[in-house]
């Protein structure tokens, strides 16, 4: 008698970072109010740095204790190793103050 053993082998590919066009990223942030970005998502972070330089969004670094720290223009490239939160800027035009999710009155 011949024995056959069925095996199920599933190959898992490492998760590739999804690259989004900056316009798509901006649309998602403005629709949701804010967007969390993983620490290892460098493609999204590089697009966010460009959008921050143009004044279209606010970048906050999420510290180890969970508190957000706003990053000024020029600081973001040194904070790539932490998660970020991207928010739309305040309607008041005040730079560095997010209004995502209605946290700040308009």
């Amino acid at each position: 008698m011949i024995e056959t053993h069925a095996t199920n082998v599933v190959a898992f590919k490492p998760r590739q970072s999804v690259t989004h066009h900056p316009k798509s990223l901006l649309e998602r942030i403005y629709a949701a109010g804010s967007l969390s970005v993983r620490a290892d998502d460098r493609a999204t972070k590089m697009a966010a740095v460009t959008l921050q330089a143009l004044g279209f969004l606010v970048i906050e670094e999420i510290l180890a204790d969970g508190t957000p720290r706003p990053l000024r223009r020029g600081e973001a490239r040194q904070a790539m190793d932490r998660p970020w939160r991207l928010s739309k800027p305040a309607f008041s035009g005040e730079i560095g103050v997010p209004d995502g999710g209605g946290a700040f009155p308009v």
Side-chain angles (χ1 to χ4, degrees), residues 10-102:
V10 179
F12 290 99
K13 295 180 183 179
R15 183 175 176 169
Q16 302 275 336
S17 66
V18 178
T19 305
H20 296 285
H21 188 275
K23 182 179 177 185
S24 168
L25 177 64
L26 197 58
E27 288 171 349
R28 290 185 300 142
I29 294 167
Y30 276 46
S34 67
L35 180 72
S36 297
V37 180
R38 293 185 334 262
D40 63 346
D41 191 351
R42 296 188 67 80
T44 301
K45 287 182 175 184
M46 292 307 293
V49 168
T50 302
L51 293 169
Q52 181 194 33
L54 296 171
F56 291 124
L57 59 83
V58 176
I59 300 174
E60 294 175 305
E61 172 186 29
I62 306 301
L63 302 175
D65 63 357
T67 59
R69 182 180 78 85
L71 297 175
R72 294 186 195 116
R73 291 180 182 148
E75 287 184 329
R77 291 186 191 269
Q78 289 78 31
M80 292 290 219
D81 59 337
R82 292 225 179 261
W84 287 2
R85 181 172 65 191
L86 309 176
S87 305
K88 59 184 179 177
F91 290 118
S92 66
E94 187 175 343
I95 296 174
V97 180
D99 76 352

